[in-house]
Every structure is written in C-alpha cells, then in structure tokens.
Amino acid sequence: PTEPRAQQGGWLRAPCGGPGRCRCVLLALSLAANLALALALALIAKSSNAVAPSAPPSPNASFSTCPFDPAAMTGDAPELAVTGLGSTFTSLCWTDFAHDDRGLVATPYELYLVDPWMDAARQHLVYAGRATTINVTDLLPATRYGFQVRRNSASNQADEAAAVDVTTHHLGLCGNPSDVAAYHATKSTMKSDIQKCMIAHAFSDDKIQHCISHRVGLSPPCAACWVAEAHCTIKECWNECLTPTSQACKDCSEARCFPACVACSGMPRWSFPP
C-alpha cells in the first residue's frame, strides 16, 4: 500500500476506494457505534419510566451482657454465648476453660466458623489467641453461621469445645434469605446477566428489572437496586463507559455508584460480582 506523505502541512490519506478502504470502513463503523451508544445512554438517562428502589429498612442490632464472666477461671464444661448480633456482625464470649494452659501455649483458644458462602461443609479458623471475647464482622445479612471455640491444649484435650449458631438480621432490599441465595448461586454469572438485561431492554426500566429478576433470581425490589446502579453509571461515568468492559469504566462505577448500591442492597461489597 502507498505510504502517506506530507502535503501542504497535512497528511495525504488514501481514499476509501483505495488501499486504505478497510481502515476507513472500520473507523466509520467505530464512530457510528460510539455515536449510537452515546445516544442510547442519553435516552436511558432521560427515561421517564425509571424504576426507583424503595427505601431499604434501617439496620438493627441487639446486644446483651455475657451470661458469665469470660475472664473467670473455671474447670466447668466450656460455654460459648452470643452478646451482640446485627446484620453483618456478631459478638461472642466464652468461659476461660483453658486457663491451665496459659503460659504453655501461645494461642489457647481457636474459634472456627461454618460459612455457607465459602463452604458449608467445612470449618474455617477465624481467630487464635488468648482472648475470651470477640467481634466478628463482614458477615452476610440474613445468614445462619455456626461458631465453635476449641481448646488448643498442650495436653491435647482437643475434645473440649463449645458451639453456637447465629442468624444475622435482614438488611437493605437484598439482604434476605432468597436474594442472598441468588447472589451466591449466580456469583460467577451475575454481572454478565445484568449487563445483558441492560443491553436487551435499554429503554425500559421495568423490563430491565423483570429481566434481572428472571435471569439472576433476584426479587424485584433487589433488582431495582441494580437498575439504579446502572443509571448512576450512565450518568456519572458515561464517557469512561463508552467501552463498558474497560478498567476506566469499572473504576468509575466502583467509586461513584457502588457505595449507593451497597446501601440499597444491604449486601457487603465483597459479595458483589467481580
């Protein structure tokens, strides 16, 4: 192909009918696609049938005092109790049943968690140390967790343990058992399914909401949080998201729109699709 050459201070370009035809056609298609996307984004942003999520319920928590003195040395059977419970946290205390191992082992107590999001069939170590009270945070709302405190004994008294189950409170429009289960079941496909719904029904929020509910399994109120997140992204990040799969689009939506989606849904950020 002919190399471009300077002519009167500019570039002499090959005509579309010549060797540069493919590049010209691709450029035209790219410009047309960007213009169409920009127009679609503008129309969606001005949509008159926008779905607005209802106000999420306020978070709640309950607290109580430990039913025994966790610092008291006792030779009785180990006990584990719940002293605080909310939507994303719980507080626990247990008797100092390993007091005779103090000074013999660095971490006389080990606290294990059965986490249904990670693996409901396994116990995960969440704490090892000398304390007899603990706050466990970053839990899912409306989820049942199992805790067990064990004695890490120098005398191999591993059978000494106490267990308790807790169910966290509901939170937001998605922090309920059904929607939490849907988040977990579709965590690898949720993002792409929501994007497909946005593209397929770009000019109808009602249809987007219905599509998300159908494809992902989210309740309509929960799906409305994601419709609102999409509107926010369109409004705040339209320039960065002309290429929706770009890192710039992801970073902008993460910074400007995800905090509101977290508050609306009640789901912790770590549970969102990557």
Side-chain angles (χ1 to χ4, degrees):
T2 305
E3 293 291 332
R5 64 179 185 273
Q7 182 183 50
Q8 297 180 352
W11 290 103
L12 178 66
R13 302 184 183 277
C16 283
R21 180 182 180 188
C22 290
R23 282 179 294 175
C24 289
V25 171
L26 290 174
L27 177 61
L29 289 174
S30 177
L31 290 174
N34 283 343
L35 287 173
L37 179 58
L39 178 60
L41 294 177
L43 290 174
I44 294 173
K46 295 180 179 180
S47 175
S48 60
N49 66 334
V51 169
S54 56
S58 301
N60 55 77
S62 56
F63 298 93
S64 62
T65 58
C66 190
F68 40 78
D69 182 0
M73 298 182 181
T74 176
D76 298 334
E79 293 183 76
L80 176 62
V82 178
T83 58
L85 183 64
S87 300
T88 58
F89 82 94
T90 187
S91 302
L92 306 170
C93 70
W94 55 88
T95 51
D96 191 12
F97 59 92
H99 63 86
D100 53 335
D101 277 321
R102 290 184 178 275
L104 300 178
V105 292
T107 57
Y109 295 110
E110 293 178 341
L111 182 69
Y112 289 84
L113 164 69
V114 175
D115 186 343
W117 185 276
M118 297 172 64
D119 184 353
R122 291 184 59 233
Q123 291 184 324
H124 304 272
L125 180 66
V126 294
Y127 172 76
R130 299 180 180 278
T132 54
T133 60
I134 193 171
N135 296 315
V136 184
T137 60
D138 292 329
L139 301 177
L140 289 166
T143 301
R144 183 175 180 175
Y145 291 95
F147 291 93
Q148 185 183 68
V149 62
R150 300 179 191 170
R151 177 175 182 159
N152 182 18
S153 175
S155 55
N156 296 319
Q157 294 173 295
D159 58 330
E160 288 192 329
V164 69
D165 291 339
V166 302
T167 300
T168 52
H169 299 166
H170 292 209
L171 181 65
L173 299 181
C174 304
N176 56 77
S178 176
D179 286 322
V180 171
Y183 264 68
H184 184 262
T186 63
K187 56 185 176 183
S188 62
T189 58
M190 182 178 177
K191 181 178 180 180
S192 61
D193 282 342
I194 291 176
Q195 289 176 339
K196 289 174 184 176
C197 290
M198 294 298 301
I199 293 171
H201 308 288
F203 303 107
S204 173
D205 279 5
D206 289 332
K207 290 183 178 180
I208 294 172
Q209 186 180 28
H210 177 77
C211 178
I212 293 174
S213 294
H214 176 73
R215 293 183 70 104
V216 184
L218 299 178
S219 65
C222 178
C225 293
W226 286 97
V227 176
E229 192 277 335
H231 274 287
C232 174
T233 299
I234 290 167
K235 179 181 179 182
E236 300 293 335
C237 308
W238 68 270
N239 187 44
E240 292 86 348
C241 292
L242 287 175
T243 304
T245 57
S246 68
Q247 186 64 40
C249 178
K250 180 179 179 181
D251 291 344
C252 180
S253 182
E254 173 82 27
R256 301 181 185 179
C257 300
F258 269 44
C261 194
V262 168
C264 177
S265 69
M267 297 291 286
R269 175 63 186 92
W270 62 261
S271 68
F272 281 33

